[in-house]
Amino acid sequence: MSELTDQQIFDRLGDIKGLPTCSQWAEGFADSIRDQIKRGRTLSERQRATCHKILKENSKEAQAQLANWASEYKMHHKQEAN
């Protein structure tokens, strides 16, 4: 993921709220970061790295993998158990 501006991070973190791939911790962290950006504060490198990780975990690809998980499980693992 290329380097994002604070405004892009703010926008993208707002977009992931409520996604099935977004953990409760990630949602809380995203809210905290968005509040910090709203107040005009600069993100640390560690905060930026964590934001990029959260955005990757909640990407369209991650959402597609989660959506396909149940059918893949049934196809590959349920048959082996029988």
Side-chain angles (χ1 to χ4, degrees):
M1 185 175 294
S2 64
E3 194 61 32
L4 300 172
T5 66
D6 286 356
Q7 185 60 48
Q8 289 171 321
I9 290 173
F10 180 90
D11 294 340
R12 291 184 186 186
L13 288 176
D15 292 342
I16 67 168
K17 194 168 190 157
L19 293 176
T21 53
C22 191
S23 70
Q24 189 174 10
W25 180 88
E27 200 167 302
F29 184 84
D31 288 343
S32 175
I33 292 295
R34 293 183 86 230
D35 185 52
Q36 185 175 334
I37 292 170
K38 263 193 242 179
R39 291 186 278 131
R41 301 187 68 203
T42 305
L43 302 180
S44 70
E45 286 305 312
R46 191 164 180 178
Q47 287 174 315
R48 286 181 168 284
T50 302
C51 288
H52 285 163
K53 180 180 176 193
I54 289 171
L55 292 171
K56 184 177 180 182
E57 290 171 350
N58 293 281
S59 67
K60 290 186 189 295
E61 294 82 14
Q63 293 174 57
Q65 280 183 324
L66 180 63
N68 292 331
W69 181 85
S71 62
E72 285 187 33
Y73 178 81
K74 287 178 186 175
M75 186 169 48
H76 295 290
H77 299 289
K78 278 280 207 178
Q79 291 175 353
E80 292 174 8
N82 291 333

